[in-house]
């Protein structure tokens, strides 16, 4: 990274929860980048809780805006079993930091310095959700053991996690020797790459641990760094964010024994951070040092297909030509040519199909996609052999004679005048994408076949994110504010219903004068709508895309983070549809 200009702010945020910290962070990626630009931040880290869901989106948006993206994660580290009665007691004593219940793991922050560090981060995230390959079952909550942190430390900078981190928890419980031993272990795992993290959100835990952290920094000659854990843009959103936390926990805003954050958990300016740490300027300076040390940008990868087994001394292009020629011959005999045709008539009838086949095969070969057609043809052939109903093909893929010859589709493209160029066009390079309908009740069998053929660690479904939309956010906010259900329901019904294109609360307020009138007359309803508007559009939960499946040429955790949907035993990509493709994976639709 080039030296940071004096025109830039002299502090960089290294602890930011975007909206991808589901039901916890309230900073959309676009907003985060805009704040960095407005506050002249030369760099910024994204450190969502146990995920990298927004990493590529943030990396792309930040780089375009001239902000250096730092890819990181707040990772939960399992508490070790040794000395467990005391350890569990310590956890219960210290676990109330920002939460009403003791967690089973403690957070550290990991930031990628290099491509190796980024790949280690992918591995750690995948382990957090899926567990070790030989583990009897995945962890109940996403977390990794300390041993995994040590194994996958190359290329990563680690921050100790503040008072809620594993060292801070031990300090709060008075276990100085254990804290010292754990810090020594972290320093050995991250030589020259471990920073003692100091926070000042006005919390008692921070005041109690800071002098102890400074003593340890001096004793072990470790650098300190100032962070501000950001969950929302600024203090004006603290009230709405508090409601979001209650929605996530099933709590009421009026409740006393629940997680609370302070108005200081916003995206502070460099001036505010300099003032806050005026007595420890080196802690703020080190944010710039870390930004320089993490000047790594994740690059998009061209699509990587798994190899298709074509036998010895035969390329995928050769195999595709052979299968397509044989398949077209069968199609012509069964559907185009008739017994009463003479040789000339047969040749004349077949000629446009053969010409189109040659043209398509050349385009497919030049674009590097023979393997894609072979993979799709293989699992469709297997599906039909099992008697599983398959649709005739729809979308632009129905314009391919090669697809028709391979029985991927069942529509004759020439008969219906369908264009191949709508599916694959050398002038507009994009991956082919067949929309294939399988019997809903037996679709899982097809996916299992693909898993068995290419390897269970090479195949995953694709993640998708549910948003808080107008009616749902009003119901959720109404519940945590303890507004009677019937009253909230009446308000929700004033929001126009359009499942295909749900209106926003702003649009509903414009369209429905009664909604505006109720907000004007009743302060409680005004508050409901005001908080609802602030939370609307944030991500609430992750789930599995109904149709998308990715197949890799290597274990997927080498290319993407993996996630586990509690409702499925199949791995799920930790990137959404758009970004799995940017990470080098090819999507297949199993509709």
């Amino acid at each position: 990274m080039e030296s940071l200009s004096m025109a830039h702010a002299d502090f960089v945020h290294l602890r930011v929860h975007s909206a991808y910290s589901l039901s916890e962070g309230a900073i959309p990626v676009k907003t985060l980048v805009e704040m960095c630009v407005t506050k002249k931040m030369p760099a910024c880290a994204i450190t969502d809780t146990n995920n990298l869901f927004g990493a590529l989106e943030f990396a792309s948006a930040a780089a375009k805006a001239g902000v250096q993206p730092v890819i990181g994660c707040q990772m939960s580290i399992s508490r070790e079993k040794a000395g467990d009665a005391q350890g569990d007691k310590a956890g219960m004593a210290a676990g109330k930091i920002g939460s009403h219940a003791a967690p089973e793991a403690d957070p550290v922050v990991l930031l990628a310095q290099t491509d190796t560090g980024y790949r280690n981060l992918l591995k750690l995230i995948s382990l957090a959700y899926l567990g070790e390959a030989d583990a009897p079952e995945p962890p109940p909550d996403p977390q990794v053991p300390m041993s995994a942190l040590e194994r996958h430390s190359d290329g990563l900078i680690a921050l100790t996690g503040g008072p809620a981190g594993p060292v801070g928890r031990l300090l709060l419980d008075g276990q100085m020797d254990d804290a010292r031993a754990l810090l020594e272990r972290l320093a050995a795992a991250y030589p020259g790459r471990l920073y003692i993290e100091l926070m000042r959100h006005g919390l008692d835990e921070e005041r109690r641990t800071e002098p102890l952290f400074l003593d340890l920094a001096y004793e072990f000659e470790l650098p300190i760094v100032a962070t501000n854990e950001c969950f929302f843009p600024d203090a004006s959103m603290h009230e709405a964010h508090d409601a979001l936390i209650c929605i996530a926990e099933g709590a009421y805003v009026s409740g006393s024994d629940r997680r609370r954050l302070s108005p200081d958990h916003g995206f502070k300016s460099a001036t505010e951070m300099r003032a806050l740490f005026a007595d420890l300027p080196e802690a703020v300076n080190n944010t710039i040092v870390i930004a320089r040390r993490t000047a790594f940008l994740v690059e998009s990868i061209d699509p990587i297909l798994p190899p298709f087994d074509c036998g010895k001394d035969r390329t995928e292009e050769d195999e595709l030509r052979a299968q397509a020629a044989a398949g077209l011959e069968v199609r012509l005999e069964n559907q185009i040519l008739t017994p009463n045709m003479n040789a000339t008539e047969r040749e004349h009838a077949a000629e446009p199909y053969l010409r189109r086949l040659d043209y398509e095969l050349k385009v497919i070969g030049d674009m590097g996609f023979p393997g894609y057609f072979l993979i799709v043809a293989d699992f469709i052939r297997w599906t039909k052999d099992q008697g599983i109903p398959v649709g005739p093909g729809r979308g632009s893929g129905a314009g391919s004679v090669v697809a028709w010859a391979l029985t991927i589709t069942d529509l004759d493209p020439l008969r219906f005048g369908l264009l191949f160029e709508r599916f694959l066009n050398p002038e507009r390079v994009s991956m082919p994408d067949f929309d294939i309908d399988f019997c809903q009740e037996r679709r899982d069998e097809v996916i299992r076949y693909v898993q068995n053929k290419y390897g269970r660690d090479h195949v995953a479904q694709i993640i998708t994110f549910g948003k808080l939309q107008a009616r749902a956010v009003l119901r959720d906010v109404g519940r945590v504010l303890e507004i009677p259900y019937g009253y909230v329901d009446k308000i929700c019904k004033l929001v126009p219903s359009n499942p295909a294109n749900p209106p926003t609360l702003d649009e509903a307020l414009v369209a429905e004068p009664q909604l505006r009138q109720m907000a004007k007359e009743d302060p409680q309803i005004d508050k409901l709508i005001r908080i609802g508007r602030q939370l609307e559009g944030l991500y609430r939960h992750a789930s599995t895309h109904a149709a998308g499946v990715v197949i890799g040429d290597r274990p997927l955790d080498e290319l993407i983070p993996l996630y586990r949907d509690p409702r499925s035993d199949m791995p799920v990509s930790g990137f959404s549809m758009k970004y799995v493709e940017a990470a080098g994976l090819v999507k297949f639709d199993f509709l």
Side-chain angles (χ1 to χ4, degrees), residues 113 140 209 277 301 359 491:
Q113 282 185 286
T209 54
F277 283 90
I301 300 173
Y359 163 71
I491 294 160

Side-chain angles (χ1 to χ4, degrees), residues 308-319:
F308 188 84
D309 186 5
C310 304
K312 193 177 179 183
D313 300 327
R314 189 160 179 163
T315 67
E316 289 179 346
E317 199 165 348
D318 293 337
E319 180 68 20

Side-chain angles (χ1 to χ4, degrees), residues 307-385:
F308 188 84
D309 186 5
C310 304
K312 193 177 179 183
D313 300 327
R314 189 160 179 163
T315 67
E316 289 179 346
E317 199 165 348
D318 293 337
E319 180 68 20
L320 181 62
R321 282 191 172 276
Q323 286 194 23
L328 182 60
E329 188 176 338
V330 173
R331 287 289 199 192
L332 291 175
E333 288 294 339
N334 292 341
Q335 293 176 239
I336 305 300
L337 308 178
T338 60
N340 61 348
M341 284 182 173
N342 61 36
T344 302
E345 288 170 333
R346 288 172 67 86
E347 185 178 334
H348 181 73
E351 194 274 332
Y353 290 92
L354 294 169
R355 186 171 68 247
R356 174 76 165 261
L357 187 78
D358 280 342
Y359 163 71
E360 289 188 17
L361 286 169
K362 183 176 186 314
V363 171
I364 293 165
D366 289 348
M367 294 181 75
F369 297 142
Y372 181 88
F373 281 78
L374 291 169
I375 290 166
V376 175
D378 174 74
F379 65 69
I380 287 188
R381 196 175 299 120
W382 179 88
T383 303
K384 291 177 176 178
D385 288 345

Side-chain angles (χ1 to χ4, degrees), residues 102-241:
E104 296 301 320
D106 306 303
V108 298
V109 173
L110 301 175
L111 307 172
Q113 282 185 286
T114 62
D115 185 68
T116 298
Y118 174 66
R119 303 296 159 191
N120 273 325
L121 210 46
L122 298 181
K123 178 69 77 173
L124 286 166
I125 292 288
S126 302
L127 285 172
Y129 286 98
L130 305 179
E132 301 281 2
D134 56 355
E137 56 185 39
D141 296 305
Q143 55 187 263
V144 295
M146 182 67 182
S147 57
L149 211 64
E150 292 168 319
R151 256 192 344 268
H152 300 289
S153 65
D154 285 356
L156 291 170
I157 282 177
L159 314 186
T160 53
V167 177
R169 177 174 61 84
L170 293 168
L171 293 177
L172 283 168
D173 198 53
Q175 299 185 57
M176 196 68 186
D177 289 344
D178 288 344
R180 189 179 283 109
L182 180 56
L183 189 63
E184 200 165 10
R185 193 171 166 188
L186 282 166
Y190 296 85
R193 293 177 281 118
L194 177 66
Y195 287 77
I196 288 189
E197 185 179 7
L198 303 178
M199 298 173 162
R200 291 179 176 176
H201 303 96
L203 302 178
D204 179 59
E205 295 86 0
E206 294 164 349
R207 286 188 286 270
R208 287 164 56 198
T209 54
E210 185 175 297
L212 301 174
F213 273 130
L214 290 171
D215 288 344
L216 288 171
Y218 181 77
E219 179 182 344
F220 288 98
E221 298 183 345
L222 292 170
I224 57 174
V225 65
T227 67
N228 200 81
E229 191 170 14
C230 311
F231 290 90
F232 43 85
D234 55 49
S236 69
M237 196 174 177
H238 174 244
E239 182 184 37
H241 182 266

